[in-house]
Amino acid sequence: MAKNTILNLLEKKKYKELKEKMSAYNPVDLAELLVELDDKELAMVFRMIDKDDAAQVFSYMDDDQQQTLLNSFTSKEIRYILDSMATDDAVDLLEDMPANVVNRLLSQVSADTRADINRLLKYPEDSAGSIMTVEYIDLSPDMTVQQALDKIRKVGIHSETVYTCYVVVRRKLVGIVTAEVLMTNEKDTLIRDLMRENFIYIRTSDDQEDAAKLFRKYGLIAIPVLDDEGYIVGIVTFDDAIGVLTEETTEDIHKMAAMSSSEDSYLKTTVFQHAKNRIPWLLVLMFSSVITGAIITRYENAFAAVPLLVSFMPMLMDTGGNCGSQSSTLIIRGLAVDELHLSNLPSIVWKEFRVSLVVGTVLAVANGIRIYLMYQNVEMAVVVAISLIGTVMVAKMVGCMLPILAKQMHFDPAIMASPLITTIVDTCSIMIYFRIATVAFRL
């Protein structure tokens, strides 16, 4: 069903047919389809969506669409949408809005929903508490399987997930039990005999990225969130974890390209904002090249004596930057998936050193032969070959060590990616090249 179909049905006032067509769509697909409508059409069509799906479709819309609909909603409609949304989705919506708008919206919802939202809004922005939901199924260890299944049928529709249930005694989490276990055991079996007491959990203050990594490591669907006293206050589900990992990956990609991160999509970010995100790092990298320029100026006499030296500078600098980027990319990826740590630094350095010897030797031989065939100059071929080996070795060392050291100093390893490493390696490669050249040619 495309935009034209919706508009045609609206114009012909075939509202019943339009409602039937929309009811067959997945909420995610329907939210994407509504992006194409203007404000007036959006408000009309949204009100035709089944009430059971409306809150879910609303949660998948972008911020602009949500704001448009909220401005057109009555108090009753606002109350229904926010009460029906998962608490973490409602919090995501309110976090991006001005305080006066948040207060107006919260005044429309039920007391229970308002209390849950206010509690989540108080957690630090990047903490596990800020992305958790309070809709989960809690069971007593003295319940039977039948009683547990009856409770799931009764309250499961309001829960984020029914696959994992949490066994609680006076708000303390004592175990977990899955729906699979409940459905494959006798109805009179007690929950305490089925629950698993060894479970993975996170604290409300834990970093949301650390929480997301647990999903990847253990293949979980949901993780309980405990406060400092061990009371369960909510759960984080895999869809929230995917959202966190997507945000972190996007942020890392921006930093690896020497840009400030932006929360908006590319097309929605203004030209000025794009420029603002890129200029600071470009200024830093541009002025850092002054060092390279100063080194080159120092060896002006070498250029005058052997002009051919200049022609190999771009090749050495580019090769060094590429080698450093290769190493840093692998290390940053290893750090991101928790595969590498500071304790692995000696092993990493030793491995990259051996890799640099092999890579440097192959590149040096290839370039040495090329230079000799083109210029019939053995000395120049040897100088460039040795410089190339030295440049590759330095680049690999810098590329593998800087991200790990950055993380140890609580910086984002992505900062130490291509642009910064390239700038450092450029300076080192020029120093190595001209030092070897001045000795070889006695300049």
Side-chain angles (χ1 to χ4, degrees):
M1 184 174 63
K3 176 185 176 182
N4 291 337
T5 304
I6 295 178
L7 294 178
N8 288 336
L9 292 174
L10 276 175
E11 290 174 0
K12 295 176 181 178
K13 297 183 179 181
K14 294 184 177 180
Y15 302 133
K16 183 177 180 182
E17 184 179 346
L18 176 58
K19 188 172 183 178
E20 289 175 354
K21 283 183 175 294
M22 290 194 298
S23 65
Y25 268 69
N26 181 284
V28 177
D29 296 329
L30 191 53
E32 289 181 357
L33 184 61
L34 297 182
V35 171
E36 302 179 29
L37 303 180
D38 61 34
D39 294 351
K40 184 178 179 181
E41 294 163 351
L42 176 63
M44 289 182 62
V45 173
F46 186 83
R47 286 184 169 90
M48 298 180 195
I49 299 174
D50 289 340
K51 282 192 173 183
D52 293 339
D53 296 329
Q56 199 171 1
V57 173
F58 184 84
S59 67
Y60 288 121
M61 290 179 170
D62 61 33
D63 295 343
D64 293 339
Q65 284 184 299
Q66 290 177 339
Q67 187 66 59
T68 298
L69 287 174
L70 288 173
N71 290 335
S72 66
F73 282 167
T74 63
S75 298
K76 183 178 180 181
E77 288 173 324
I78 291 174
R79 180 188 180 97
Y80 178 80
I81 288 294
L82 291 181
D83 282 342
S84 301
M85 288 177 71
T87 309
D88 54 334
D89 291 332
V91 169
D92 289 339
L93 167 67
L94 297 175
E95 279 181 336
D96 298 327
M97 294 188 174
N100 61 321
V101 177
V102 172
N103 292 332
R104 180 175 69 86
L105 295 179
L106 286 179
S107 67
Q108 307 297 328
V109 301
S110 65
D112 289 342
T113 300
R114 184 165 57 251
D116 290 338
I117 291 174
N118 280 330
R119 186 164 76 247
L120 294 186
L121 285 172
K122 291 179 181 178
Y123 290 113
E125 183 178 355
D126 294 327
S127 67
S130 69
I131 61 169
M132 72 180 182
T133 179
V134 296
E135 287 110 357
Y136 61 91
I137 296 176
D138 61 302
L139 304 174
S140 166
D142 297 323
M143 279 184 172
T144 63
V145 168
Q146 183 61 57
Q147 290 172 327
L149 292 174
D150 290 341
K151 182 171 185 178
I152 291 174
R153 293 189 187 96
K154 183 178 180 181
V155 304
I157 191 172
H158 303 296
S159 301
E160 189 83 356
T161 177
V162 298
Y163 182 77
T164 305
C165 303
Y166 301 91
V167 186
V168 179
V169 176
R170 291 189 292 276
R171 291 183 53 218
K172 289 264 188 176
L173 181 62
V174 297
I176 63 172
V177 62
T178 64
E180 179 185 7
V181 171
L182 294 176
M183 290 186 290
T184 55
N185 278 275
E186 296 298 326
K187 295 181 179 180
D188 57 352
T189 306
L190 293 177
I191 297 299
R192 69 170 65 255
D193 297 327
L194 300 176
M195 70 181 188
R196 189 168 75 245
E197 298 180 47
N198 183 21
F199 51 84
I200 305 298
Y201 66 90
I202 51 177
R203 299 286 185 182
T204 53
S205 57
D206 288 348
D207 189 276
Q208 61 179 12
E209 187 176 4
D210 294 334
K213 288 178 180 178
L214 292 177
F215 283 87
R216 181 168 51 200
K217 182 176 181 180
Y218 295 102
L220 301 171
I221 293 177
I223 298 179
V225 183
L226 309 184
D227 63 14
D228 294 335
E229 297 178 355
Y231 295 122
I232 182 170
V233 292
I235 62 173
V236 174
T237 52
F238 72 94
D239 57 323
D240 297 313
I242 291 173
V244 170
L245 291 176
T246 301
E247 290 175 6
E248 295 294 338
T249 301
T250 301
E251 185 179 340
D252 287 348
I253 290 172
H254 287 161
K255 289 179 178 178
M256 290 177 75
M259 294 188 298
S260 300
S261 185
S262 174
E263 293 183 0
D264 293 327
S265 66
Y266 176 86
L267 293 177
K268 288 191 175 182
T269 303
T270 64
V271 171
F272 178 77
Q273 189 61 45
H274 272 302
K276 183 181 176 182
N277 291 340
R278 303 179 195 189
I279 288 173
W281 265 109
L282 291 175
L283 285 172
V284 171
L285 296 173
M286 181 180 69
F287 285 118
S288 65
S289 64
V290 172
I291 300 174
T292 305
I295 295 172
I296 294 174
T297 302
R298 181 182 173 187
Y299 290 98
E300 283 182 342
N301 293 334
F303 295 153
V306 187
L308 192 58
L309 286 172
V310 180
S311 63
F312 301 111
M313 285 172 50
M315 181 272 294
L316 285 168
M317 294 168 68
D318 288 347
T319 302
N322 292 335
C323 288
S325 297
Q326 286 180 336
S327 296
S328 67
T329 300
L330 292 173
I331 300 305
I332 290 171
R333 185 264 175 193
L335 293 171
V337 300
D338 217 25
E339 179 184 299
L340 301 176
H341 306 86
L342 180 64
S343 59
N344 301 124
L345 185 58
S347 300
I348 293 170
V349 171
W350 174 233
K351 176 165 284 188
E352 287 298 315
F353 175 75
R354 288 177 290 165
V355 171
S356 68
L357 282 178
V358 175
V359 172
T361 300
V362 172
L363 295 180
V365 170
N367 265 289
I369 294 173
R370 178 184 70 87
I371 293 169
Y372 177 74
L373 292 176
M374 289 180 66
Y375 302 101
Q376 301 296 309
N377 190 327
V378 176
E379 283 185 315
M380 182 59 73
V382 171
V383 166
V384 174
I386 295 175
S387 299
L388 196 53
I389 293 175
T391 296
V392 171
M393 290 177 66
V394 169
K396 294 288 186 186
M397 294 300 100
V398 171
C400 74
M401 288 192 292
L402 278 186
I404 295 178
L405 296 178
K407 185 170 185 179
Q408 187 63 20
M409 293 186 291
H410 305 291
F411 292 120
D412 193 322
I415 295 175
M416 300 299 182
S418 298
L420 185 56
I421 288 176
T422 298
T423 302
I424 295 172
V425 172
D426 283 351
T427 302
C428 294
S429 64
I430 292 299
M431 291 176 64
I432 292 169
Y433 179 42
F434 285 116
R435 186 61 183 169
I436 294 173
T438 52
V439 172
F441 293 112
R442 298 176 181 86
L443 302 174

